[in-house]
Amino acid sequence: MKTPLSAFEFRGIVSRLACAVIAIFWLVASGMANAGSGEPHLPALQVQTLAPGVHVLRAPGFEVNAGNAGFITNIGVIEDARGLVLVGTGTSHRFAQHLLASVERHFGRPVVLAVVLYGGGDHVLGNGVFVARGVPVVAQTETDRFIRASCHSCVERLTAALGENMMSSTEPTPATVVIERTAKLPGVVPGLTRRLTLIHLGHTFQPGASALYDEDSGTLFAGELGAAGYLPDLYNALETGWRDGLTELVALGAKRVVPAHGAPGGSEVLTAPKRYLDALIAQTGALFEQGVSLQEATQSVEVAEFRDWYGYAVWHRRNVHFAYLHREQEAFGQRSEAAPGLKEGQH
């Protein structure tokens, strides 16, 4: 027969249990605090050479996550007589510091210029690090305006995805050299000798979306205008302007084309997204002319060739929605070419 516990023994057991619970809680809380205060992961940057003096740092994927630190956009590296020209500044203050240190260590030369091609958090939120170092940052006028007006939303969205530690000190920073129309950069940036042209074709992916052409190697950094396995996103776009802009870029006859997302290639990086836009515009326009409603149109338009491209399941229906609204605006004479539907918080 068991002897009942005395009040003293019972209190001792309860006290030990309480101590154990407190110890476990402290260990868990301590581990969480250490995880939060540790240095965030920054991915290795692999250099892929495309031509003499022209390289790309290939983004490891399309999805923002802690493993890639938000590095989802290819970054160009072009060698000039004075140093390195980067196409894109990265996703955050921390990533931009990592980017500069990595490329300067790899090439043994300083970064002397950055060019940003569109207003996307994954592409421009490292601007502040470059500007603080005295490195000029070039952008088209509308891209610079987008950074000023909308990229605070980009910081908020990326902070939610990557955490405050990774995004600490990140602030939207405007360009220091702003260009309104297509221009040869040696005539704009003192000391630059590489024959680089910033190409602006009007409202395409965004009102200020641009491409950078290196005449010496025949390499076109197409930014968001080109695509390889990544569906065009019309959230801030004008699909007819984008289609027409791609026609002009194809006519350049570039030997190689680097998109913002996906593998560098040849003219197919331009002609494939053009086929998607052609089909989208034609099908949506035909349904509008037939009197089909917006809701019906979003369920009816399919471009089967691109079903396996990243984004098709997520934003193809939304693309149809925007294309239909633009066609409707055109029919009633309401479309503005000065950035219709420009929205915050996307790209």
Side-chain angles (χ1 to χ4, degrees), residues 82-289:
R82 293 187 304 128
L84 306 174
V85 177
L86 297 194
V87 185
T89 64
T91 311
S92 67
H93 183 92
R94 282 185 185 275
F95 184 87
Q97 291 177 319
H98 174 57
L99 169 63
L100 284 168
S102 295
V103 297
E104 290 183 342
R105 182 171 57 249
H106 180 89
F107 290 98
R109 309 181 67 196
V111 172
V112 297
L113 180 68
V115 181
V116 295
L117 303 179
Y118 60 95
D122 52 353
H123 186 63
V124 304
L125 286 181
N127 284 6
V129 173
F130 288 72
V131 172
R133 280 189 42 170
V135 176
V137 176
V138 174
Q140 198 277 337
T141 304
E142 292 295 337
T143 291
D144 185 62
R145 184 174 293 139
F146 190 93
I147 293 169
R148 294 169 185 269
S150 300
C151 273
H152 287 89
S153 298
C154 304
V155 174
E156 291 170 5
R157 193 177 68 255
L158 286 164
T159 299
L162 300 174
E164 292 185 4
N165 201 0
M166 174 61 76
M167 297 299 293
S168 65
S169 302
T170 301
E171 291 288 340
T173 303
T176 56
V177 180
V178 178
I179 296 172
E180 187 172 355
R181 56 183 61 86
T182 295
K184 294 184 181 298
L185 294 189
V188 177
V189 180
L192 186 70
T193 58
R194 188 102 186 184
R195 294 186 297 166
L196 300 175
T197 302
L198 186 70
I199 301 171
H200 180 242
L201 300 167
H203 191 168
T204 53
F205 166 74
Q206 287 175 346
S210 308
L212 184 69
Y213 185 54
D214 174 44
E215 279 187 58
D216 294 331
S217 68
T219 303
L220 179 71
F221 288 89
E224 287 278 5
L225 300 181
Y230 189 94
L231 196 75
D233 183 356
L234 300 190
Y235 194 84
N236 281 312
L238 183 61
E239 64 280 0
T240 52
W242 194 343
R243 173 201 61 194
D244 297 343
L246 286 169
T247 299
E248 292 191 51
L249 291 179
V250 170
L252 280 176
K255 296 177 183 177
R256 57 196 65 82
V257 183
V258 182
H261 311 283
S267 62
E268 74 280 0
V269 175
L270 305 172
T271 56
K274 183 179 181 298
R275 284 198 306 277
Y276 172 77
L277 294 170
D278 278 335
L280 178 72
I281 293 165
Q283 290 187 46
T284 305
L287 291 174
F288 177 82
E289 293 296 334

